[in-house]
Amino acid sequence: MSLVVGVDGGQSTLRLSAGGAIADGPGFSYHDGDPVSVTLGSVRAAWTRLGHGGPVERVVLGLTGLPSTVELRDALAAGVARLMSAGEVVLCADNVTAHAGALPDGYGVALTGGTGVNCLAVDAAAAVVHRVDGWGHLYGDDGSAFAIGRAGIAAVLRAVDGRGAPTALSALAVARFGPVEGLPLRLYTSRRVVDDTARFAPDVVGAAGDGDEVAAAIVSRAGRELARTATAAVAVLPGTGPVPVAHVGRLMPEGGPLVGAYRDALARQCPRARGVPAAGSALDGALRLAATPALMAAYGSHIHVYRGFS
């Protein structure tokens, strides 16, 4: 049986699946140096842990840090092809694999909530593929784990100054990061500051669920931002009929206050949106594309194919 491989490369971790097994590698950071060598090193670490020797028929990588030029994408794909003795390497942004995992019919909007936020609207019949947000932690990713974590840390520092209300987030920040004195410096000087900050988001969401008013306000605002992103994505799809909208990502587990705030806001903002459960994860989407390459046509130029070893 031919072996296919799927990779979901985010900012917190990289996950690789082959033959029913999954292994992790380090997440992506723009502060780590050359993105091609960093990503290839993470893939190599996960591939080594998995213990497969290849050859591989096809590997699909959905990446947060997708290289920005054809030359860099070819360089990364060539490295992956050599590593796995792969016949074909497919690179795309992780919003593509998230969409393929969540909405395998190739129609609708998939919102990915993780360290960052990305949203993809696809209508394969109308040849529409449109991204919303995914602009990174400095200029976008509204409602993301980074945005929630940052807002939570800022609320703690405002409480220390007396500029903001007391909050249960203060004790949670100390438990996660150590004494508040020096906390900003420790984060500012961390090479993983985006991931470190994002890891505070579950604490903020948990505190909101426990009734902390400061945390609840942060989560409510994040839910509205996520709904605004999904609404903008729905708006680009032709017609006036209902549009399936799914959300994926570890930031948005079912039953939590963030998902509740998001759904309430989406219902108000976007009458066309029809919330549906995601059929699978971004890693599932990568595997689906690897096993059924005909599905790639729905994503057009958002797919980069490299022919490796025959």
Side-chain angles (χ1 to χ4, degrees), residues 125-138:
V128 173
V129 184
H130 184 80
R131 186 191 81 172
V132 178
D133 207 345
W135 300 120
H137 68 285
L138 287 179

PDB file of all heavy atoms in Angstrom, residues 125-138:
ATOM      1  N   ALA A 125     -17.166  25.475  -7.310  1.00  0.00           N
ATOM      2  CA  ALA A 125     -17.920  25.616  -8.556  1.00  0.00           C
ATOM      3  C   ALA A 125     -17.755  26.998  -9.163  1.00  0.00           C
ATOM      4  O   ALA A 125     -17.742  27.163 -10.394  1.00  0.00           O
ATOM      5  CB  ALA A 125     -19.398  25.321  -8.307  1.00  0.00           C
ATOM      6  N   ALA A 126     -17.616  28.013  -8.325  1.00  0.00           N
ATOM      7  CA  ALA A 126     -17.460  29.389  -8.802  1.00  0.00           C
ATOM      8  C   ALA A 126     -16.007  29.821  -8.865  1.00  0.00           C
ATOM      9  O   ALA A 126     -15.717  30.990  -9.167  1.00  0.00           O
ATOM     10  CB  ALA A 126     -18.236  30.353  -7.896  1.00  0.00           C
ATOM     11  N   ALA A 127     -15.082  28.905  -8.566  1.00  0.00           N
ATOM     12  CA  ALA A 127     -13.641  29.189  -8.575  1.00  0.00           C
ATOM     13  C   ALA A 127     -13.286  30.338  -7.632  1.00  0.00           C
ATOM     14  O   ALA A 127     -12.464  31.196  -7.946  1.00  0.00           O
ATOM     15  CB  ALA A 127     -13.154  29.502  -9.988  1.00  0.00           C
ATOM     16  N   VAL A 128     -13.920  30.344  -6.466  1.00  0.00           N
ATOM     17  CA  VAL A 128     -13.636  31.359  -5.454  1.00  0.00           C
ATOM     18  C   VAL A 128     -12.838  30.718  -4.322  1.00  0.00           C
ATOM     19  O   VAL A 128     -13.263  29.719  -3.737  1.00  0.00           O
ATOM     20  CB  VAL A 128     -14.933  31.971  -4.885  1.00  0.00           C
ATOM     21  CG1 VAL A 128     -14.609  32.903  -3.720  1.00  0.00           C
ATOM     22  CG2 VAL A 128     -15.695  32.716  -5.966  1.00  0.00           C
ATOM     23  N   VAL A 129     -11.685  31.289  -4.042  1.00  0.00           N
ATOM     24  CA  VAL A 129     -10.883  30.914  -2.878  1.00  0.00           C
ATOM     25  C   VAL A 129     -10.387  32.220  -2.269  1.00  0.00           C
ATOM     26  O   VAL A 129      -9.594  32.933  -2.896  1.00  0.00           O
ATOM     27  CB  VAL A 129      -9.683  30.018  -3.245  1.00  0.00           C
ATOM     28  CG1 VAL A 129      -8.952  29.572  -1.982  1.00  0.00           C
ATOM     29  CG2 VAL A 129     -10.124  28.812  -4.045  1.00  0.00           C
ATOM     30  N   HIS A 130     -10.853  32.550  -1.081  1.00  0.00           N
ATOM     31  CA  HIS A 130     -10.571  33.865  -0.520  1.00  0.00           C
ATOM     32  C   HIS A 130     -10.185  33.740   0.950  1.00  0.00           C
ATOM     33  O   HIS A 130     -10.899  33.120   1.739  1.00  0.00           O
ATOM     34  CB  HIS A 130     -11.793  34.771  -0.648  1.00  0.00           C
ATOM     35  CG  HIS A 130     -11.564  36.168  -0.173  1.00  0.00           C
ATOM     36  ND1 HIS A 130     -10.916  37.118  -0.940  1.00  0.00           N
ATOM     37  CD2 HIS A 130     -11.889  36.775   0.994  1.00  0.00           C
ATOM     38  CE1 HIS A 130     -10.860  38.255  -0.267  1.00  0.00           C
ATOM     39  NE2 HIS A 130     -11.428  38.073   0.908  1.00  0.00           N
ATOM     40  N   ARG A 131      -9.058  34.340   1.303  1.00  0.00           N
ATOM     41  CA  ARG A 131      -8.577  34.319   2.680  1.00  0.00           C
ATOM     42  C   ARG A 131      -8.999  35.582   3.411  1.00  0.00           C
ATOM     43  O   ARG A 131      -9.008  36.680   2.850  1.00  0.00           O
ATOM     44  CB  ARG A 131      -7.050  34.236   2.702  1.00  0.00           C
ATOM     45  CG  ARG A 131      -6.471  34.059   4.089  1.00  0.00           C
ATOM     46  CD  ARG A 131      -4.970  34.238   4.091  1.00  0.00           C
ATOM     47  NE  ARG A 131      -4.589  35.656   4.109  1.00  0.00           N
ATOM     48  CZ  ARG A 131      -3.330  36.088   4.266  1.00  0.00           C
ATOM     49  NH1 ARG A 131      -2.357  35.211   4.373  1.00  0.00           N
ATOM     50  NH2 ARG A 131      -3.063  37.368   4.267  1.00  0.00           N
ATOM     51  N   VAL A 132      -9.325  35.426   4.688  1.00  0.00           N
ATOM     52  CA  VAL A 132      -9.600  36.564   5.570  1.00  0.00           C
ATOM     53  C   VAL A 132      -8.724  36.421   6.808  1.00  0.00           C
ATOM     54  O   VAL A 132      -8.663  35.356   7.423  1.00  0.00           O
ATOM     55  CB  VAL A 132     -11.083  36.633   5.981  1.00  0.00           C
ATOM     56  CG1 VAL A 132     -11.324  37.804   6.929  1.00  0.00           C
ATOM     57  CG2 VAL A 132     -11.983  36.755   4.752  1.00  0.00           C
ATOM     58  N   ASP A 133      -8.064  37.507   7.185  1.00  0.00           N
ATOM     59  CA  ASP A 133      -7.118  37.587   8.300  1.00  0.00           C
ATOM     60  C   ASP A 133      -5.951  36.640   8.065  1.00  0.00           C
ATOM     61  O   ASP A 133      -5.598  36.362   6.917  1.00  0.00           O
ATOM     62  CB  ASP A 133      -7.799  37.373   9.645  1.00  0.00           C
ATOM     63  CG  ASP A 133      -7.049  38.069  10.787  1.00  0.00           C
ATOM     64  OD1 ASP A 133      -5.881  38.478  10.603  1.00  0.00           O
ATOM     65  OD2 ASP A 133      -7.613  38.221  11.880  1.00  0.00           O
ATOM     66  N   GLY A 134      -5.311  36.183   9.117  1.00  0.00           N
ATOM     67  CA  GLY A 134      -4.050  35.476   8.955  1.00  0.00           C
ATOM     68  C   GLY A 134      -2.892  36.424   8.731  1.00  0.00           C
ATOM     69  O   GLY A 134      -1.860  36.036   8.162  1.00  0.00           O
ATOM     70  N   TRP A 135      -3.032  37.662   9.216  1.00  0.00           N
ATOM     71  CA  TRP A 135      -2.004  38.684   8.973  1.00  0.00           C
ATOM     72  C   TRP A 135      -0.912  38.704  10.040  1.00  0.00           C
ATOM     73  O   TRP A 135      -0.048  39.568  10.024  1.00  0.00           O
ATOM     74  CB  TRP A 135      -2.649  40.061   8.891  1.00  0.00           C
ATOM     75  CG  TRP A 135      -3.660  40.183   7.782  1.00  0.00           C
ATOM     76  CD1 TRP A 135      -4.981  40.478   7.905  1.00  0.00           C
ATOM     77  CD2 TRP A 135      -3.421  40.029   6.372  1.00  0.00           C
ATOM     78  NE1 TRP A 135      -5.584  40.510   6.667  1.00  0.00           N
ATOM     79  CE2 TRP A 135      -4.658  40.228   5.711  1.00  0.00           C
ATOM     80  CE3 TRP A 135      -2.302  39.717   5.608  1.00  0.00           C
ATOM     81  CZ2 TRP A 135      -4.787  40.143   4.320  1.00  0.00           C
ATOM     82  CZ3 TRP A 135      -2.434  39.621   4.230  1.00  0.00           C
ATOM     83  CH2 TRP A 135      -3.662  39.844   3.608  1.00  0.00           C
ATOM     84  N   GLY A 136      -0.955  37.766  10.965  1.00  0.00           N
ATOM     85  CA  GLY A 136       0.098  37.708  11.970  1.00  0.00           C
ATOM     86  C   GLY A 136      -0.246  38.490  13.227  1.00  0.00           C
ATOM     87  O   GLY A 136      -1.161  39.312  13.251  1.00  0.00           O
ATOM     88  N   HIS A 137       0.518  38.231  14.288  1.00  0.00           N
ATOM     89  CA  HIS A 137       0.154  38.756  15.608  1.00  0.00           C
ATOM     90  C   HIS A 137       0.274  40.268  15.718  1.00  0.00           C
ATOM     91  O   HIS A 137      -0.417  40.875  16.539  1.00  0.00           O
ATOM     92  CB  HIS A 137       1.001  38.084  16.689  1.00  0.00           C
ATOM     93  CG  HIS A 137       2.462  38.455  16.649  1.00  0.00           C
ATOM     94  ND1 HIS A 137       3.323  37.963  15.700  1.00  0.00           N
ATOM     95  CD2 HIS A 137       3.192  39.272  17.447  1.00  0.00           C
ATOM     96  CE1 HIS A 137       4.534  38.443  15.922  1.00  0.00           C
ATOM     97  NE2 HIS A 137       4.484  39.245  16.967  1.00  0.00           N
ATOM     98  N   LEU A 138       1.132  40.897  14.907  1.00  0.00           N
ATOM     99  CA  LEU A 138       1.282  42.345  15.009  1.00  0.00           C
ATOM    100  C   LEU A 138       0.164  43.101  14.304  1.00  0.00           C
ATOM    101  O   LEU A 138      -0.262  44.164  14.767  1.00  0.00           O
ATOM    102  CB  LEU A 138       2.631  42.785  14.420  1.00  0.00           C
ATOM    103  CG  LEU A 138       3.877  42.461  15.239  1.00  0.00           C
ATOM    104  CD1 LEU A 138       5.114  42.950  14.500  1.00  0.00           C
ATOM    105  CD2 LEU A 138       3.805  43.090  16.630  1.00  0.00           C
TER     106      LEU A 138
END
